[in-house]
Amino acid sequence: MSDETLLEVQDLKVHFGGKKLFKKAMVVHAVDGVSFTVPKGKTLGIVGESGSGKTTTALAVLRLVPITAGKVQLDDLEISALEGDELRHSRKRFQMIFQDPYSSLDPRQRVGEIVREPLDLMDIGEEKDRDQMVRDLFVQVGLRPELTKLFPHQFSGGQRQRVGLARALSTKPDLIVCDEPVSALDVAVQAQILNLMRKLQEDLGLTYLFISHDLGVVQHLCDHVAVMYLGQIVEQADRISLFKNPQHPYTKALLSAVPKARARDGSEERVRLKGDPPSPVNLPQGCRFAGRCPVAIDKCHSVPPELKDRGDGHMASCHLLDE
Amino acid sequence: MTSLLTIKDLVVDFKTRAGNARVLNQISLELKSGEILGIVGESGCGKSMTALSVMGLVPSPPGKVSEGSILLEEEDLLQASNARMRQVRGGIISMIFQEPMTSLNPVFRVGDQIAECVLLHEDISKTDAWERAVEMLTKVGIPEPALRAKAYPHELSGGMRQRVMIAMALSCHPRVLIADEPTTALDVTVQAQIFDLLKDLQRETGTAIIMITHDMGAIAELADRVAVMYAGHIIESGLTKDILENPHHPYTRGLIACVPHLETDPTEVRPYLSEIKGVVPSLTELGKGCAFADRCPYKTPVCEERRPDIEPISEGHAVACHNVEYVVAV
Amino acid sequence: MATVDEPIVVESQSPIREAMRAFRQSWAGMLGLILLILVVLFTYVGPFLYSVDPFEVIWAPLTAPGETERAPLGTDYLGRDILAGLIHGGSATLYVGLAAGFITITIGILMGAFAGFFRGAVDEVLMRITEFFQVLPALLFAMVLVTLFPPSIYIVALAIGIVSWPTTARLTRAEFLRIRTLEYVNAARSVGAKNSRIMWRVILPNALAPLIVSATLTIGIAILFEAGLSFLGLGDPNVFSWGLMIGAGREYILDAWWAVTFPGFMIFLTVLGFSLVGDGLNDAFNPKLRER
């Protein structure tokens, strides 16, 4: 096990809006100063609710949305500094698996063409070998190679997600960013895909950046976890430390809100949050969670807390932990 | 407790290009007054169709209720007139849906929509109906209800809209509330709020709830009893505690085991998840055997020969499996 | 549906072939297609079977149908054969319809695609231009164009094309805005596709279905438009078209109903044909209807 860093993200910011010809500027701080690293061959999970900026973070790492500020470094490659053709050719080193198995495959392409497209665009391998490479990829993700001629609508959700995996694997990437790859699938299929992803990671030494709202899935798959709230990371730790010993009140509430699939015994403490997450347009002045926080003090409403190490690399941003 | 709603041997067929799909196959269910019944299963298992059948909303064509009965106490809803069904819907049985954005009309204020619903079923003045709307909004925990009643749906967050839907569904004091995946579109912290709200309201009003979901967690939180559905059949039913702690049907077992459950005390070693092989069979191609046979690790020849009936194995716990004893023993 | 474990190879179902199959099941579409085939046969095979010059005076003016064998559908105010006119007028009418439809689709797709794909300032500018053309009174503007230049069917087609593209542009833009947010567009980008590839190879093919439907309807409208212009005497006087025949016959409508009714009926059949084909295509491309 090496702890060599593969992906390093520093103070990443993505702000939307502000530039409109005839309309008033309204800036959305979708991602607002996010930093993390992912070691080679490991999985970092980013969890959060809608509007937390987790998906935008993923897209920004892949340069699929414009980065406002910050640095994204993949090994020796500074992704955030690439432009034009250089960026396009570098994309073979970082790939993505999408959330919706129904909209992530072009309905007018045969699945074989979908998996072959990256090989053609990136000029990988000899042209005559590419069909065989596609068939090998199909086998690798558990699909029969004869199926390459079919169209996406002939597949079930789980099989489509396998095609998406084959497409992502085709360029032999170092990093795969997974945006809620199983949340649209039925639970039985979800287990198949999660196991496949695990196996591929073990076989190929892949590094995953795994975006999800499902804490159970994140706990199962990820080595490190970052919790996002309104565009910022509020807590970040290795898997065991985070789930065993959550520090931030938001993480605690999130963990407590997840329904446990066993009969109720009424023993555990319940934290219930009031209201919905506020919108990332009008951000509060102090801690972004203060408005919903069950334990907020005066200071929380005026001064934003810092993300600090609370021992053994367990990071959390909360004034109450500073006392 | 008396039985409020009884579904007996319900069969619903859908005509498709590929042939006749039997989306509900001899479903029998019983809802007692004041209880929460969970119906759980994967997409396409027939859980939503069960709800639509009760509401008399099976899309026809292509759907058709072929056999069976749905008794509201003594009255068979399948024989009821259209006028009577309109009274029943919203008045005696109401429903809330998965997507709170599309189930509210975007051009009317939410208060008006609730009041409208009350006026349809009760003979009261418009002012009274509006007051009822505000009262219902208070009940479902919406802050500043008098103000929010004047809001349009898009001005409310997803959680608020689902609360409005619940307020609307409960505005005529129905005896049965059907909740079809009410929290799937919501964030977990909001989902927890809605679960608490449903539990409180159920305790307060005594409304019986049918909770349709794919999430065993939601069942554990809310339901008193559960029915597990697979490919149009009920394959296991019983008390929530029994089903979760002591599932008998191989499918129920698989369904519980394949979900990565959140543990408060995670371990260093993470096993692979247990899988249910393959995919749900097409409803047009079900043979005469057990619908789960192809995916079942305990399959024996009899499973392909004959479909198992659902039979009680203990008080209130019933399973449809030829090899129950063997499955449990392993 | 295929599963991982199933041994049989399933046949691939191309979305286009699926749509064609659905089209064949739509009675409206098939009826429209038959109408159009008949109109085309009438127009392009007719001249070989019935070789009368439509400009030639062959009999007494305003002869009613059936009065002479020389002109089975009667003659117009100059004594020209109506049947010959119908046969020879079709090609100009169809030409104007198809050419105008082609111009409409080309400009519309280009404007809509760039606006919808790049959004922002490009969108604002292109859409303001589109709106400018949309608020122009179409008939008046076409009349101005036709009067400024020497009347020819090319100018007529161009004029109709220029006034009709904004609808297509808006439709294209809406489709591009919808599709560009779908994940397969991001997927194409993340495997290294350029903007041009994404626009024309990924988004456009998926946006085509409603555009084809709208193009079919546009052709019908263009044919009516041509008839309108010719009726007002603004068509190409050297080319025989159904619109021209109606225009020429309008003064005698009370004495010689046949001079306007027959060309009018041909226009009706053609427009109906295109419209029904449009309906059929709409059914074929709409997967929700297809399930029934």
Side-chain angles (χ1 to χ4, degrees), chain A residues 29-77:
Chain A
H29 299 80
V31 179
D32 212 13
V34 161
S35 305
F36 56 82
T37 59
V38 190
K40 210 178 191 112
K42 300 281 180 172
T43 304
L44 172 73
I46 300 184
V47 287
E49 296 179 277
S50 49
S52 63
K54 56 187 193 302
T55 295
T56 312
T57 305
L59 295 174
V61 166
L62 295 168
R63 291 293 301 277
L64 291 172
V65 293
I67 294 176
T68 310
K71 188 174 161 191
V72 180
Q73 180 90 31
L74 180 78
D75 214 358
D76 56 336
L77 186 73

Side-chain angles (χ1 to χ4, degrees), chain A residues 49-50 186 198 272-273 276, chain B residues 43 157 187 189 196 270:
Chain A
E49 296 179 277
S50 49
D186 272 319
R198 261 283 292 275
R272 283 292 184 261
L273 294 180
D276 302 278
Chain B
S43 43
S157 67
D187 284 319
T189 57
D196 288 351
R270 286 166 294 169

Side-chain angles (χ1 to χ4, degrees), chain B residues 121-136:
Chain B
H121 294 282
E122 287 176 37
D123 189 20
I124 57 173
S125 73
K126 278 196 170 163
T127 348
D128 288 346
W130 179 267
E131 265 169 32
R132 172 85 68 83
V134 176
E135 179 199 320
M136 290 312 300

